[in-house]
Amino acid sequence: MDQRKGGDRNANGGLAEATASRLRFDSDEEPEAEEEMGMEVEESPDAEGEEEVIGSDKTSADYYFDSYSHFGIHEEMLKDVVRTKSYQNVITQNGFLFKDKIVLDVGAGTGILSLFCVKAGAKHVYAIECSQMADMAKEIVKANGYSDVITVIKGKVEEIELPVPKVDVIISEWMGYFLLFENMLNTVLYARDKWLADGGVVLPDKASLHLTAIEDAEYKEDKIAFWDNVYGFDMSCIKKQAMMEPLVDTVDANQIVTNCQLLKTMDISKMTPGDASFTVPFKLVAERNDYIHALVAYFNVSFTKCHKMMGFSTGPRSKATHWKQTVLYLEDVITICQGETLMGSMTVTPNKKNPRDIDIKLKYSINGHRCQVSRTQYYKMR
């Protein structure tokens, strides 16, 4: 039943694919129950005259900001129509949120959101960007005649100072793969606590993580069982590591076997950084007789302060975005009958060594007519 193309896959949603995680928005449709979002990160260029050492201690955190200096990553995000048009529609259709307001754009990139904001009547926009793209953003702002109302500040949010004590609006496209992988959420929360005026708004203000289960025999065979016989050699020792690496890929809606369940909702206007660590239960009910080979996570993003709530989903039943979905393969092949339940819990925590990475603990069990299984698996998004 797997209709995906293997060449479109990324082994762990990390640096290898050289893409960046960004948020999308589908304002022409009501948010679906299964909306999800993910973030992608591009491979960082080596410093001039410096060679990357294979096997070194560098992590994705070391490459994070330099990765956004690549034009290709911004091209991909800008061409993600769901993402970019969603933000544009939120801003241009809700001028009351921006008219004569001071706006802070966190992780501004090319400055596209800042440009939308001044078009909507913002009094002034402060666009913070840490990568070399800040230099390009300044040129873009100047070329479009907005240097007097958009100030691009190059640096880390946690290290710079604003020319103003408070701002009325904070806008950011911070989401990553699996919502939280290599995201800027803590940076947005830092900016909120330091600069947002009383009564100010954070956009988007809600994000939710969702889960479903899929049949995926063909690709699991290609991805995991492949190591059993590699040109006649046994490389099955790699299978365990391969199972621990979530895949970022587009899932065909026809593969979905169960209902889709909300796992976690985050209120960006009120939450604390610690809220990004959580353990939540799930209960997935089979909608047909089938096999389950993997669980799939995705996220929704909502802007609830608009005239009418707007937002988008990264789910498999929604229009595809560059975030795709996150696939967690199970060690077991589960045979499930319609109406039976796969139960369990998911624990999500930032990695202690590199908080931009994610550790996932998955517990699942089923006591069905044809299958009885209880297992705990661990995953690492690096």
Side-chain angles (χ1 to χ4, degrees), residues 8-283:
D8 194 28
R9 288 202 181 251
N10 175 357
N12 61 6
L15 297 168
E17 187 174 295
T19 45
S21 79
R22 259 34 212 159
L23 160 163
R24 33 161 285 227
F25 198 126
D26 203 352
S27 61
D28 294 329
E29 300 179 6
E30 291 298 322
E32 299 184 40
E34 51 193 286
E35 313 164 2
E36 54 207 78
M37 66 193 282
M39 158 178 175
E40 313 181 357
V41 177
E42 178 178 59
E43 187 172 0
S44 168
D46 295 334
E48 185 174 351
E50 177 185 347
E51 293 183 0
E52 178 185 350
V53 179
I54 296 176
S56 69
D57 291 333
K58 288 185 178 181
T59 67
S60 54
D62 298 305
Y63 297 100
Y64 180 73
F65 291 111
D66 280 346
S67 70
Y68 287 91
S69 299
H70 291 256
F71 298 107
I73 206 170
H74 295 278
E75 178 184 357
E76 179 187 26
M77 292 186 290
L78 291 170
K79 287 181 176 178
D80 185 336
V81 177
V82 175
R83 164 200 182 265
T84 308
K85 287 294 292 184
S86 293
Y87 272 92
Q88 182 182 34
N89 290 339
V90 164
I91 295 168
T92 59
Q93 295 176 20
N94 295 276
F96 74 98
L97 292 173
F98 299 92
K99 181 68 173 176
D100 299 325
K101 300 294 178 62
I102 297 177
V103 179
L104 179 62
D105 181 358
V106 176
T110 59
I112 186 66
L113 301 187
S114 297
L115 293 166
F116 290 155
C117 289
V118 295
K119 279 280 192 179
K123 181 179 180 180
H124 203 98
V125 179
Y126 294 96
I128 305 177
E129 174 58 41
C130 191
S131 77
Q132 297 299 322
M133 188 56 62
D135 299 325
M136 287 287 93
K138 291 178 182 179
E139 291 193 30
I140 291 168
V141 168
K142 182 178 180 181
N144 286 275
Y146 292 117
S147 295
D148 57 335
V149 287
I150 299 177
T151 301
V152 178
I153 301 173
K154 186 176 183 180
K156 295 182 179 180
V157 168
E158 296 82 358
E159 297 175 359
I160 62 98
E161 290 296 331
L162 288 183
V164 294
K166 295 292 179 181
V167 300
D168 304 300
V169 179
I170 294 177
I171 193 164
S172 180
E173 193 266 82
W174 56 266
M175 302 81 69
Y177 292 128
F178 192 72
L179 182 61
L180 296 170
F181 177 65
E182 290 199 330
N183 69 81
M184 299 189 302
L185 176 57
N186 284 353
T187 297
V188 173
L189 299 182
Y190 178 92
R192 178 201 67 187
D193 294 342
K194 185 171 184 178
W195 289 303
L196 189 63
D198 292 341
V201 297
V202 180
L203 300 172
D205 59 317
K206 296 287 177 63
S208 56
L209 187 65
H210 300 251
L211 190 70
T212 189
I214 62 168
E215 180 280 328
D216 201 16
E218 183 179 342
Y219 196 79
K220 185 179 180 184
E221 178 75 14
D222 180 63
K223 184 68 182 176
I224 307 299
F226 163 78
W227 298 107
D228 288 333
N229 186 339
V230 182
Y231 295 96
F233 297 99
D234 182 354
M235 297 188 181
S236 58
C237 58
I238 294 178
K239 287 173 64 175
K240 183 176 180 181
Q241 184 65 31
M243 290 288 295
M244 293 179 67
E245 296 179 349
L247 300 182
V248 173
D249 193 19
T250 301
V251 172
D252 192 295
N254 291 328
Q255 295 175 253
I256 297 174
V257 176
T258 69
N259 64 312
C260 299
Q261 182 181 327
L262 169 67
L263 289 180
K264 176 77 171 177
T265 297
M266 297 182 180
D267 186 338
I268 316 305
S269 62
K270 299 177 181 178
M271 69 178 290
T272 66
D275 294 336
S277 297
F278 53 86
T279 298
V280 289
F282 64 83
K283 182 178 179 180

